[in-house]
Amino acid sequence: MNNLYTPWRLNYLQGTQAKIDGCFFCVYAAQHQDVENLIVYRGETCFIILNRYPYNNGHALIVPYTHISDLPDLPANTLNEMMQLSQKLIRAFQALYRPHGYNVGMNLGEAAGAGVPGHLHLHVLPRWLGDASFMGTVGETRVLPEELHQTQARLAQALAGT
Ligand SMILES: [Zn+2]
């Protein structure tokens, strides 16, 4: 897939973004450089981070602080907060972007398409009618009208106020 508008990839291509050893969810959770790392909210047991390579504007991940891969091992309070944060996120998306729908879900394990198989996470992907009908499925290209750090700033502000 190609992105039409991906200024953030310049850093990646130029190698200015530090290469991370190990699990980047754990590294980002510990770093407290939330703006740079695209973290938009920190809860008690989970944090919310924007996907650096989004399928759509606002593609966010709700991630437990604990490095855990199996859903049955996730403690009940973490599971609760994960779902509560998905509600909070959807409320913020409604206020900011008015999406027409959402995909909310997990890819568990490499066979299921998990990008970070060792550290489970819940995807919340805002959808608009027609967003995948032409460019995504036919052109293998994503159209992203908003730059990632702009989304980070707007969403972090909205989540702090909800
Ligand atoms: Zn981890």
Side-chain angles (χ1 to χ4, degrees):
M1 271 205 163
N2 297 307
N3 288 330
L4 286 185
Y5 180 61
T6 57
W8 59 89
R9 284 191 69 94
L10 198 60
N11 286 339
Y12 175 74
L13 294 171
Q14 290 171 340
T16 52
Q17 203 173 314
K19 199 173 178 331
I20 286 175
D21 290 324
C23 173
F24 76 87
F25 287 146
C26 287
V27 171
Y28 285 0
Q31 269 182 343
H32 289 276
Q33 295 172 3
D34 290 356
V35 173
E36 296 87 334
N37 292 335
L38 300 172
I39 291 175
V40 289
Y41 188 82
R42 285 178 179 268
E44 294 290 314
T45 63
C46 299
F47 62 100
I48 307 176
I49 185 168
L50 292 177
N51 190 337
R52 202 167 280 277
Y53 304 104
Y55 294 117
N56 242 344
N57 272 127
H59 185 177
L61 310 170
I62 302 172
V63 189
Y65 292 113
T66 311
H67 187 91
I68 207 165
S69 62
D70 294 327
L71 185 58
D73 295 341
L74 204 63
N77 63 329
T78 309
L79 202 57
N80 269 343
E81 195 183 22
M82 207 175 218
M83 295 318 289
Q84 281 163 3
L85 289 182
S86 73
Q87 293 179 315
K88 190 177 170 70
L89 198 49
I90 285 172
R91 280 197 294 269
F93 281 139
Q94 281 307 122
L96 286 176
Y97 301 106
R98 303 223 158 271
H100 301 132
Y102 298 91
N103 292 112
V104 178
M106 290 188 193
N107 303 323
L108 296 170
E110 234 172 321
V116 188
H119 196 143
L120 69 77
H121 48 281
L122 183 68
H123 291 256
V124 179
L125 179 65
R127 300 300 304 267
W128 287 266
L129 289 170
D131 63 9
S133 63
F134 175 69
M135 294 305 276
T137 53
V138 179
E140 285 286 298
T141 299
R142 291 169 282 190
V143 184
L144 302 170
E146 187 173 82
E147 195 269 331
L148 261 179
H149 286 281
Q150 195 184 347
T151 312
Q152 195 280 337
R154 294 182 70 190
L155 200 54
Q157 192 181 27
L159 287 166
T162 54

